[in-house]
Amino acid sequence: MITRILPLLRNPATRRKWLVLGSAALIGAGLVVRWGFGAIDLWAALMVAAAVLAGADIAWRALQALRIHHLSIELLVTIAAIGALIIGEYWEAAAVTFLFMLGAWLEARTLRQTRGALADLLKAAPQLATVIRDGQPVEVAASAVRPGETVLVRAGQRIPVDGEVMEGNAAVSEAAITGEPIPAEKAPGARVYAGTIAENGLLRIRATGVGADTTLARIIRRVEEAQEERAPSQRMIERFAQWYTPAIMVLALGAWVVTQDVRLALTLMVVACPGALVISTPVSIIAGIGRAARSGILIKGGQHLENAGRIDMLALDKTGTLTEGRPSLVEVLPLAGIDRAELLHWAAIAESGSDHPLGRPIVAAARAEAEIPPPEAVEELAGMGLVVRHAGRRIAAGNRRLFDRLGIAFDAAAEAALTGLLARGRTPVIVALDGRAVGILGLSDQPRPSAAPAIARLREAGIQRIAMLTGDQPQAARAIAADLDIDEVHAGLMPEDKLRLIRAFQAEGRHVAMIGDGINDAPALAAADTSIAMGAAGSDVAIEAADIALMANDLGKLPEAVAISRATLSNMRQNLVIALLTVAGLLAGVFSGDIHMAEGMLVHQLSVLVVILNGMRLLRRPRALRKRGARERGNMAAKERTSPVDA
């Protein structure tokens, strides 16, 4: 029996529950014997027993804190309870320890709900997987799947691994990863993530990430770390509490010296406990980070949550951030001495040495006509382009800055072709062969459907200054900016130019957030007050490096992240006001003689619960945000349905 009970009592929540129940039973029995039978001595004994039962755990925690030279709230309560027993205030001692223990138990229960987002993520992790071994489906533990194995996923099942679809089609709900409620269609070649649900169809998936090496596992680790990381305001309050607690002890001692009233001194120690103050910040941060995680927004920790709440300027990269990042090749302009097919061939050889979004449509178009050999040597110049070697030829492909750097001259025909492309809002890729410009390719990228609504919502949220920072040509950048109502455009930038601009904005007193996805954005992202990565699902680097990672390629998550951060900051301020007003009111009540020890502890514990419940409000998605999201999704769906007719 004892061997079964002891492990249960080692769990703090379980132990506190039984101590609360035991103390309540003793207090109840004491009240019965006093008011029912007039047995004062037995009543006193039961009150002392109740105080010792509940107070032993409190005193033990106070002693543990003292060992690390920390004067804790438990020490104040322990001194007050012991003092009450010494002066014969048995009821006060029993009531104070019982209420404190009851509050601690309720606090632990409600805080568990605050961490519910993490629990939801853990539930999303499937335990079993069906793999094909020796041609037969075999059910194994999800963690036992070997990379490269084929995993079978039927309709209604959670996908157990990260992987690539080999066969089959299905609508897959990725809400656990991206927060996006609309299922994504998956076909051969598409990436899928552990924890998502195949709502129909049958998928054969090649496993690429298993167990701890999945996107879901990385998200869980990130949320765990983020919820434990202390925000600056939290650290400040903890430092304040370290001085506050001994100050209260000195105040209580001074009150006793001046008034010779022991009850007043003990009551002061009880009512001035900074419990609500200490918990006011972490409960808001845990709830805010959890709320964001449920929407597919990973915030790195309390400090970054606070920073995001203070953003008053946003800088955005263009290609792949404001636009789809899938530019299409719309014009091929060969110059003298070369035809269209040759120009496309040489350009594709150069671009096949890079994974830049502008290079992909060029390579795809060329491969549709002929086989493209890989280059033998590649030199990538960030923000400019590529210089490669193939079959003894030197090929350059990039923007005008690359050609200025290489000293390649432009004749009148090349200048005219370039000017015409820029006037039409195209992004030009100039191609040179052995030091001579041989043609220009014109590409066009489309803004993301979510970009314009997101920009409008950010402005409504008070972020009036929104700037586009891009290495693209000014004409192409202005064309996209005009579509999105962005009036500040900085184009033709090198990575160091973006960095210089971010620092210039900060020197103006701006709190700048930067969102980008390319290597050339890395310095600016590092310098920004808040760095944001988009489409981070499946990207270890984005999840680890960015202050905020939007798991989906949806700019609509950006205003939601800002809204959650600001709501969290507001919630923290509300909690601080509740905590400070409670302590101030109780102190006033003590000095006026209207508040006694048990009443003070009851109000104090109620204030702790009010602070926790107020923090838990953050777990709900704001109603206005829900309505707006539904309205925008409806508008986008209607636009997609009508666009073919309009075209």
Side-chain angles (χ1 to χ4, degrees), residues 320-335:
T321 301
L322 286 168
T323 66
E324 295 279 9
R326 294 194 295 270
S328 54
L329 180 62
V330 292
E331 295 189 53
V332 180
L333 304 178
L335 298 174

Side-chain angles (χ1 to χ4, degrees), residues 398-423:
N399 56 29
R400 184 63 180 265
R401 288 193 304 274
L402 175 67
F403 285 73
D404 292 341
R405 174 168 174 161
L406 297 177
I408 298 175
F410 268 36
D411 58 20
E415 290 286 3
L418 181 60
T419 302
L421 278 175
L422 291 173

Side-chain angles (χ1 to χ4, degrees), residues 346 349-350 373-379 386-396 434:
W346 291 116
I349 291 174
E376 293 148 7
V378 178
E379 180 185 5
L386 296 156
V387 178
V388 309
R389 290 195 174 276
H390 174 72
R393 311 295 295 269
R394 184 172 186 250
I395 314 164
D434 297 331

